[in-house]
């Protein structure tokens, strides 16, 4: 009996097994794409709802013009931007089967900016530690975003 490395030739997968394996991989890829399409659809629905919140808050600002109302409206607008960036990230992944790190970091930076706005509206409850943590996260993500963009240009 012939040996191939540490295995006997009879232990190697047959052509029929490999065809079944490629069919199974293809089925999993279709399931993966279907799940991404579902996630994109749900994200779009949520972004439409967030846009409704923005428009509703905007109509309320006209009668009650305060800095808190403006920050709440901007926070809801950032939610719409986040949803659209997520859809863009999912579409890019489906098209190229690659995750764009710069896009992921941009989404996280947008989410942190939104969180900073929410925290700013409750400024008296913000501790020094929370503020320092928020600032350090923004700086670290900004530097990593810059490094990723710089590496892509090389």
């Amino acid at each position: 009996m012939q040996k191939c490395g540490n295995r006997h030739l009879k232990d190697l997968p047959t052509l029929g097994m490999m065809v079944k394996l490629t069919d199974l991989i293809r089925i999993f890829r279709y399931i993966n794409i279907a799940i991404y399409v579902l996630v994109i659809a749900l994200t779009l629905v949520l972004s439409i709802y967030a846009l409704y919140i923005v428009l509703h808050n905007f109509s309320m600002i006209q009668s009650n013009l305060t800095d808190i109302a403006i920050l709440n409206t901007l926070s809801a607008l950032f939610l719409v931007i986040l949803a659209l960036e997520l859809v863009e990230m999912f579409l890019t992944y489906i098209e190229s089967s690659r995750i764009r790190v710069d896009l992921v970091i941009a989404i996280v930076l947008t989410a942190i900016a939104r969180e900073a706005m929410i925290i700013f509206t409750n400024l008296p409850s913000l501790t020094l530690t929370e503020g320092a943590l928020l600032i350090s996260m923004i700086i670290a993500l900004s530097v990593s975003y810059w490094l990723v963009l710089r590496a892509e240009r090389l």
Side-chain angles (χ1 to χ4, degrees):
M1 181 162 301
Q2 289 184 334
K3 284 187 128 187
C4 179
N6 290 340
R7 304 173 78 189
H8 291 285
L9 285 180
K10 67 177 182 145
D11 296 335
L12 293 176
T14 63
L15 185 59
M17 292 170 90
M18 292 178 72
V19 170
K20 291 177 185 175
L21 184 61
T22 57
D23 290 341
L24 188 62
I25 291 171
R26 185 177 303 123
I27 289 169
F28 282 134
R29 287 203 190 274
Y30 287 139
I31 291 171
N32 189 22
I33 289 173
I35 290 171
Y36 271 112
V37 168
L38 180 65
V39 167
I40 289 170
L42 289 173
T43 306
L44 285 173
V45 168
L46 289 174
S47 67
I48 290 169
Y49 181 68
L51 189 58
Y52 166 76
I53 292 171
V54 168
L55 294 174
H56 179 70
N57 285 351
F58 188 71
S59 67
M60 299 301 280
I61 284 178
Q62 294 172 352
S63 63
N64 185 17
L65 189 60
T66 64
D67 55 345
I68 301 296
I70 292 171
L71 285 174
N72 285 337
T73 303
L74 284 174
S75 175
L77 187 61
F78 267 64
L79 197 59
V80 173
I81 293 169
L82 278 170
L84 295 176
E85 286 179 348
L86 281 172
V87 168
E88 178 66 27
M89 184 185 71
F90 291 138
L91 290 175
T92 302
Y93 177 73
I94 289 173
E95 288 173 353
S96 66
S97 295
R98 293 182 59 215
I99 296 175
R100 286 192 40 206
V101 177
D102 62 328
L103 202 56
V104 173
I105 294 173
I107 291 170
V108 173
L109 273 170
T110 307
I112 289 177
R114 180 179 182 273
E115 188 65 28
M117 277 188 211
I118 292 170
I119 289 173
F120 185 72
T121 59
N122 298 323
L123 201 53
S125 66
L126 182 67
T127 65
L128 181 62
T129 306
E130 291 171 337
L133 223 100
L134 189 64
I135 290 171
S136 63
M137 283 190 304
I138 291 171
I139 291 171
L141 284 167
S142 299
V143 168
S144 63
Y145 183 73
W146 175 74
L147 288 172
V148 166
L149 287 181
R150 187 170 176 216
E152 286 179 355
R153 289 185 202 141
L154 297 177

